[in-house]
Amino acid sequence: MQAVLDPVEARIIGTMIEKRITVPDTYPLTINSLVNGCNQMNNRAPVTSLSESEVSSAVERLRDRGFTSLYTGAATRVPKYSESFVERLGLQRSEAALLCELMLRGAQMPGELRSRAERMHAFADLNEVESTLIAMAALTPPLVLQLPREAGARAAKWQHMLFGGELPASDAPSLPPSKSERESALADRVAALEAKVIELDDALTALRIQLGA
């Protein structure tokens, strides 16, 4: 699939979708608000330090392609911007929430996506997350892709298919993992250890059979 967005543009669109849904009273966004949203230290991976000029330039590129719009309300003293990306793609709220999280935090497992996207859309269960991802992957061209399952992982991760490349990371220290992230990491380690125990038990059984013979 040809890249639709570059990494900075994807961070901007993801931030706009997030703010439109979670803090509608402060939306549309000024460039300063958008810079702060793109570079915030929570709910972002990697954390970035994009400049005002980088964000302004990307917003104008997005405007040229019809993905953002300039808001000119009567009470607006400074330019504000809104996204029209979701509407252009015809996304449902559930799809927009998942795509937003993938743009803001990279590849994730369905369980992680359900937890992190809950502030934008309350998924009934994990099955709804997975069925939504599968439907988005079945589009032509696909919006998301399921990655090969990593050894010891509880589930395969999904990533969006809107760009290639990586965002420049900030020098700012990252925040410590949240309780849910620590619990998720612990569960992954436990699953990996359980798999290793089963492997060792099978090997021991085979060795006993050989010695008995």
Side-chain angles (χ1 to χ4, degrees), residues 178-190:
S178 65
K179 180 180 178 182
S180 62
E181 289 171 329
R182 292 195 302 270
E183 291 174 347
S184 177
L186 177 60
D188 289 343
R189 290 196 295 271
V190 170

Side-chain angles (χ1 to χ4, degrees), residues 23-71:
V23 283
D25 291 344
T26 64
Y27 187 85
L29 304 175
T30 64
I31 287 296
N32 184 59
S33 296
L34 191 50
V35 170
N36 291 336
C38 288
N39 293 336
Q40 68 184 55
M41 295 184 66
N42 62 312
N43 299 318
R44 304 288 185 268
V47 173
T48 58
S49 55
L50 300 175
S51 67
E52 183 174 321
S53 62
E54 288 177 302
V55 172
S56 296
S57 177
V59 167
E60 290 305 317
R61 293 197 302 272
L62 291 165
R63 277 187 69 196
D64 290 341
R65 279 137 60 202
F67 293 150
T68 61
S69 303
L70 176 63
Y71 177 76

Side-chain angles (χ1 to χ4, degrees), residues 18 40-45 101 104-105 116 119 175:
E18 176 194 57
Q40 68 184 55
M41 295 184 66
N42 62 312
N43 299 318
R44 304 288 185 268
E101 284 300 325
L104 293 179
R105 300 192 65 151
R116 293 165 179 169
R119 58 208 169 102
L175 290 175

Side-chain angles (χ1 to χ4, degrees), residues 7-195:
V8 176
E9 293 168 350
R11 174 59 64 90
I12 288 170
I13 291 296
T15 299
M16 284 183 159
I17 294 172
E18 176 194 57
K19 301 305 181 186
R20 174 175 57 81
I21 297 174
T22 61
V23 283
D25 291 344
T26 64
Y27 187 85
L29 304 175
T30 64
I31 287 296
N32 184 59
S33 296
L34 191 50
V35 170
N36 291 336
C38 288
N39 293 336
Q40 68 184 55
M41 295 184 66
N42 62 312
N43 299 318
R44 304 288 185 268
V47 173
T48 58
S49 55
L50 300 175
S51 67
E52 183 174 321
S53 62
E54 288 177 302
V55 172
S56 296
S57 177
V59 167
E60 290 305 317
R61 293 197 302 272
L62 291 165
R63 277 187 69 196
D64 290 341
R65 279 137 60 202
F67 293 150
T68 61
S69 303
L70 176 63
Y71 177 76
T72 54
T76 301
R77 296 182 179 180
V78 295
K80 292 185 177 182
Y81 297 88
S82 59
E83 62 83 19
S84 45
F85 188 78
V86 169
E87 183 180 358
R88 287 286 302 276
L89 268 63
L91 300 178
Q92 301 296 320
R93 181 151 175 158
S94 58
E95 296 170 329
L98 294 178
L99 196 60
C100 172
E101 284 300 325
L102 292 173
M103 285 192 282
L104 293 179
R105 300 192 65 151
Q108 299 165 68
M109 293 184 289
E112 294 173 320
L113 285 168
R114 182 190 178 194
S115 174
R116 293 165 179 169
E118 187 175 15
R119 58 208 169 102
M120 292 179 282
H121 177 78
F123 289 92
D125 50 34
L126 198 57
N127 287 335
E128 184 186 357
V129 177
E130 293 174 338
S131 62
T132 303
L133 290 167
I134 291 171
M136 294 167 71
L139 297 173
T140 305
L143 291 178
V144 297
L145 172 71
Q146 186 178 35
L147 301 176
R149 184 170 178 174
E150 299 174 358
R154 291 174 296 156
K157 291 184 177 181
W158 290 76
Q159 70 175 26
H160 73 76
M161 295 290 287
L162 299 175
F163 70 77
E166 297 180 352
L167 272 165
S170 157
D171 292 332
S174 58
L175 290 175
S178 65
K179 180 180 178 182
S180 62
E181 289 171 329
R182 292 195 302 270
E183 291 174 347
S184 177
L186 177 60
D188 289 343
R189 290 196 295 271
V190 170
L193 288 172
E194 289 175 343

